[in-house]
Amino acid sequence: MLTSVHVSKTENSSPRSLSDNGMMEDRHTAQAKRRKYFRRIFKYRQMDFDFAMWQMLYLLLSPQKVYRNFQYRKQTKDQWARDDPAFLVLLSIWLCGKKLSKININSLL
């Protein structure tokens, strides 16, 4: 026997939605996520640099492993992106270092 469930939203309720497993979870706006992400850039002790380095290395060696990792994250946490900005920090440092080394080499010639 099939039963139907009616979900209504009142004016005073917070934005919530049903996930695949039936649990209620809060959904944040893009602006709130962006603010939270950039606030974490300055908290170096909470960043997972080991995992970010693993991702960088395996994006070059075996991108399929990184893709599978993101698929697993999407299935378990219902989110594609990482909360941790360590990858962005490492990539920025690498790009700045590369640019500075190119400037130094060009100034020597």
Side-chain angles (χ1 to χ4, degrees):
M1 180 173 144
L2 295 175
T3 60
S4 64
V5 176
H6 178 68
V7 178
S8 64
K9 184 178 177 184
T10 61
E11 291 179 27
N12 297 333
S13 66
S14 63
R16 294 177 176 257
S17 67
L18 281 173
S19 65
D20 293 336
N21 60 5
M23 294 176 57
M24 297 295 283
E25 61 183 33
D26 288 337
R27 296 290 180 167
H28 299 289
T29 64
Q31 183 180 7
K33 288 179 184 179
R34 190 173 32 252
R35 193 175 334 129
K36 186 177 180 182
Y37 185 81
F38 284 116
R39 201 175 319 132
R40 289 183 180 180
I41 286 180
F42 301 106
K43 297 180 181 177
Y44 292 104
R45 292 180 185 222
Q46 295 181 0
M47 289 190 208
D48 188 6
F49 288 109
D50 293 335
F51 186 63
M53 294 282 281
W54 177 86
Q55 281 183 326
M56 287 182 163
L57 179 67
Y58 277 92
L59 278 173
L60 296 172
L61 301 177
S62 178
Q64 187 176 10
K65 284 186 180 185
V66 179
Y67 177 76
R68 273 192 242 132
N69 182 272
F70 278 104
Q71 280 290 102
Y72 177 74
R73 177 178 296 276
K74 177 64 176 165
Q75 291 172 355
T76 57
K77 292 187 174 186
D78 193 27
Q79 135 186 12
W80 281 106
R82 292 181 58 207
D83 295 338
D84 184 20
F87 189 93
L88 178 67
V89 170
L90 289 176
L91 183 63
S92 299
I93 291 170
W94 182 80
L95 288 173
C96 288
K98 191 71 171 166
K99 183 68 175 175
L100 288 174
S101 68
K102 189 167 186 117
I103 290 171
N104 288 337
I105 290 173
N106 288 339
S107 66
L108 293 175
L109 297 176

